[in-house]
Amino acid sequence: MATKKTISAREALKDVLKYSFGEFVRDIRECDEITQTELAKRMRVSRQFINAVEKDKANVSLEMAIKIANALEYPYEAFVEICLNDMLRKSGIKKVVHLETKAA
């Protein structure tokens, strides 16, 4: 019988900027004990799409990053930031994006 890998949310977010977007989604989903199937149902996409996202085989837009955050019931800002930084890293651009809340 396989043992289930569980990690704390704190561990999942450690060195978060080194994560690919797919790794981040997978770790958050697993920490919250949500299956790929359940996440797919919440988003109205296929489980195969969620699997492709988590394996970094799907191109994820910022809109999709926000949709994933909403489905997992998290604020979207971290998902957008990690998605943008993953896009930069994959493009070979050695820059990091940090989002800041704009004062009113």
Side-chain angles (χ1 to χ4, degrees), residues 1-103:
M1 179 178 207
T3 58
K4 183 178 177 182
K5 176 186 168 192
T6 58
I7 58 175
S8 70
R10 188 174 307 276
E11 182 67 25
L13 296 174
K14 182 181 172 191
D15 297 323
V16 74
L17 290 178
K18 294 180 182 179
Y19 274 77
S20 72
F21 183 74
E23 291 170 324
F24 177 72
V25 170
R26 182 196 64 233
D27 284 351
I28 294 295
R29 180 185 58 73
E30 287 179 350
C31 283
D32 289 350
E33 298 181 352
I34 298 169
T35 65
Q36 287 184 343
T37 301
E38 176 60 27
L39 180 57
K41 285 180 184 177
R42 291 180 186 185
M43 294 178 59
R44 293 188 170 101
V45 298
S46 69
R47 187 205 52 80
Q48 290 82 358
F49 175 75
I50 300 300
N51 186 270
V53 168
E54 292 183 1
K55 291 186 175 199
D56 294 313
K57 293 183 179 180
N59 290 323
V60 178
S61 67
L62 295 179
E63 292 83 7
M64 185 57 69
I66 292 168
K67 190 173 181 179
I68 292 169
N70 290 337
L72 291 170
E73 300 177 354
Y74 282 88
Y76 70 87
E77 291 87 354
F79 286 76
V80 169
E81 188 171 308
I82 292 165
C83 186
L84 285 169
N85 283 308
D86 194 33
M87 288 176 185
L88 290 171
R89 186 174 34 257
K90 288 176 181 175
S91 297
I93 300 171
K94 296 181 186 216
K95 299 288 182 184
V96 176
V97 173
H98 293 287
L99 299 180
E100 293 180 12
T101 303
K102 186 176 178 179

